Amino acid sequence: MTPRTATLIGLTAILMWSLLSVMTVATGKIPAFQLAAMTFAIGGLVGLLTWIGRSEAAKSLKQPLVVWVVGVGGLFGYHALYFLALRFAPPAEAGLLNYLWPLLIVLFSSFLPGERLAAHHIIGAVLGLVGTVLLFAGNTSGFAPGTVPGLIAAFIAAFVWATYSVLSRRLKAVPTDAVAGFCLATAVLAALMHGLLETTVWPETGLQWLSVIALGIGPVGAAFYAWDIGMKRGDIRVLGAASYATPLLSTGFLIAAGFAKASANIALAAILIAGGGLIAAKDMVLRKR
């Protein structure tokens, strides 16, 4: 697999994650950790189904402890912190701090062997950050004292996801099949947190059940496998900068579904984020075939 192909596969994860908000809304009032347990279980099953006819795939679960700590710590740690952030802080502020992770991925990539961080990578990531700030502008409600724990959780979550993503490159020898195990372990931990903190609420309609299944197959399933391929074999700096398209596309899907309204802010944010992504991906876009 060429780096270009792996990068394109990684970009599909960003597209799938942009559907997360509208799909989550469609699931109804299922508590966060319960929804995580259900969808990560489905996501793990998606990975296991790809093992059919590949008996050697099961060997991917036999990994050193550090691999499991990075894998499960990244998936469960990030989502637990983000859910905590949404519990204590307003969604706009929590989301804005959380979306520091694309910029952090670009910056952290400079510490990887053989990776070179050029000016256009930084410029592209910063433009994406500015676009994201603009996207959230007008939706913030100030920093009330009680929101501080949630804001801190969102900030730490950004570092957790960026660290997990960049360390995936360092663990390049670990096959993507192992992500199925990480998803299933995350489902178990999320179920335990659900039992401790939440009251079970099952989907009430067929559409809600279909939305849960779709979440598990796509944004909380195939997206993590695609991201793993992109991080391990693709251009990590391009993927980091391009990740700022997630909140923008997510907003676009919410508008299309009638859950949000279009605005000039969104249009300008689209220009900044798209421009930043193209600048960061300059090498890949202009590369001679």
Side-chain angles (χ1 to χ4, degrees):
M1 182 181 297
T2 65
R4 186 187 184 93
T5 299
T7 302
L8 292 173
I9 291 174
L11 290 173
T12 66
I14 295 172
L15 179 60
M16 285 185 274
W17 286 331
S18 68
L19 292 166
L20 184 63
S21 295
V22 69
M23 285 186 175
T24 299
V25 171
T27 62
K29 298 181 179 180
I30 303 173
F33 280 109
Q34 180 189 344
L35 184 60
M38 295 170 70
T39 53
F40 270 102
I42 295 170
L45 180 60
V46 167
L48 294 181
L49 289 176
T50 67
W51 293 8
I52 296 175
R54 298 188 300 122
S55 57
E56 75 284 355
K59 297 178 181 178
S60 65
L61 297 181
K62 190 176 181 180
Q63 300 294 336
L65 178 61
V66 66
V67 173
W68 282 93
V69 170
V70 171
V72 180
L75 295 183
F76 175 74
Y78 169 76
H79 287 87
L81 285 165
Y82 190 52
F83 291 156
L84 182 65
L86 294 178
R87 181 182 291 266
F88 289 101
E93 286 90 331
L96 188 56
L97 281 173
N98 176 63
Y99 271 103
L100 285 171
W101 65 259
L103 177 61
L104 292 174
I105 287 177
V106 174
L107 297 177
F108 289 174
S109 69
S110 63
F111 296 103
L112 291 170
E115 296 293 337
R116 184 178 63 85
L117 192 59
H120 62 277
H121 296 127
I122 299 176
I123 292 171
V126 170
L127 282 176
L129 178 60
V130 172
T132 301
V133 171
L134 187 62
L135 190 64
F136 284 92
N139 294 321
T140 55
S141 55
F143 296 100
T147 66
V148 173
L151 295 173
I152 293 174
F155 185 71
I156 296 175
F159 275 84
V160 168
W161 187 251
T163 301
Y164 162 75
S165 298
V166 174
L167 285 180
S168 294
R169 174 69 69 117
R170 294 298 300 266
L171 300 174
K172 190 175 181 179
V174 178
T176 296
D177 288 325
V179 176
F182 304 155
C183 286
L184 293 174
T186 297
V188 172
L189 292 174
L192 291 174
M193 292 296 290
H194 166 64
L196 292 172
L197 302 174
E198 301 171 337
T199 300
T200 301
V201 177
W202 293 110
E204 298 177 347
T205 66
L207 176 61
Q208 290 179 2
W209 275 109
L210 286 174
S211 298
V212 171
I213 295 170
L215 268 176
I217 292 174
V220 192
F224 292 121
Y225 302 102
W227 189 248
D228 189 73
I229 292 171
M231 286 292 105
K232 287 178 176 175
R233 298 176 176 82
D235 192 322
I236 194 171
R237 301 150 304 181
V238 170
L239 289 169
S243 295
Y244 278 116
T246 305
L248 177 66
L249 291 171
S250 178
T251 302
F253 285 125
L254 287 171
I255 291 172
F259 296 121
K261 294 182 179 180
S263 69
N265 270 14
I266 293 175
L268 184 53
I271 295 172
L272 288 169
I273 293 172
L278 287 173
I279 290 172
K282 177 176 71 72
D283 296 336
M284 189 177 78
V285 174
L286 300 179
R287 182 177 299 160
K288 294 181 180 180
R289 297 186 179 183

